[in-house]
Amino acid sequence: PPLSTISHVFLECPVAAAAWQWMRGVWQRVQPGAILPIADSRVILLDDSRVWAPAADKSSMWTLMRLLLLESLYDAAVIRHHQQQQQPLLQQQQQQQQQQQEQQQHGGGIG
C-alpha cells in the first residue's frame, strides 16, 4: 500500500494525534497558559507564526521539539509502511513452510 497522506501521517493518525496531545501537555509546562493548536496544520506542519507562535524566548525550543516530533512520526509511518509491504511475503513464506512440514509428515505426499 502507498504511504499515507501528509495530513494523516502528521496529524490524523491515532499515533500522531496522541503524540500531539502529549506535546500540548508538555508545552503547557514550558509556557503556562499557551494553548498549542495541535489540529491546525498551518502551525504543526508550516510553523505559521501568524496563526500561533510561542513566546519569543521559547521559539528555538518550539522549533526543535516540533521538528523532532515530526521526524519521529515520519519514521514511524515509514516503518509501518515497510511492515505492511512485507506482511504478505511473510505470510506466503509461512504457508510454504507449513506445506513442507505437512509433506514431510505424510511421507512427501506420495502414497
Side-chain angles (χ1 to χ4, degrees):
L3 280 173
S4 301
T5 64
I6 290 173
S7 294
H8 179 79
V9 168
F10 294 120
L11 297 168
E12 300 161 0
C13 168
V15 171
W20 288 114
Q21 192 67 35
W22 171 82
M23 175 70 93
R24 176 185 269 172
V26 169
W27 199 257
Q28 283 286 319
R29 291 187 291 280
V30 169
Q31 186 180 335
I35 299 172
L36 178 59
I38 58 175
D40 195 322
S41 62
R42 295 171 298 173
V43 173
I44 301 303
L45 300 178
L46 303 176
D47 199 20
D48 188 342
S49 61
R50 295 171 299 172
V51 179
W52 182 87
D57 64 329
K58 309 280 192 257
S59 181
S60 294
M61 181 186 293
W62 162 246
T63 299
L64 179 62
M65 290 175 68
R66 182 181 71 85
L67 291 176
L68 286 171
L69 186 50
L70 288 170
E71 179 186 25
S72 297
L73 291 169
Y74 175 79
D75 290 344
V78 168
I79 289 168
R80 267 194 319 273
H81 175 73
H82 288 297
Q83 288 173 340
Q84 289 172 350
Q85 282 187 323
Q86 291 189 358
Q87 191 65 27
L89 179 60
L90 291 173
Q91 288 174 345
Q92 182 182 13
Q93 289 173 345
Q94 289 172 346
Q95 288 174 348
Q96 288 174 347
Q97 288 174 349
Q98 185 177 8
Q99 288 173 350
Q100 289 173 350
Q101 289 173 352
E102 288 174 0
Q103 288 177 352
Q104 289 173 354
Q105 289 173 355
H106 293 79
I110 300 174

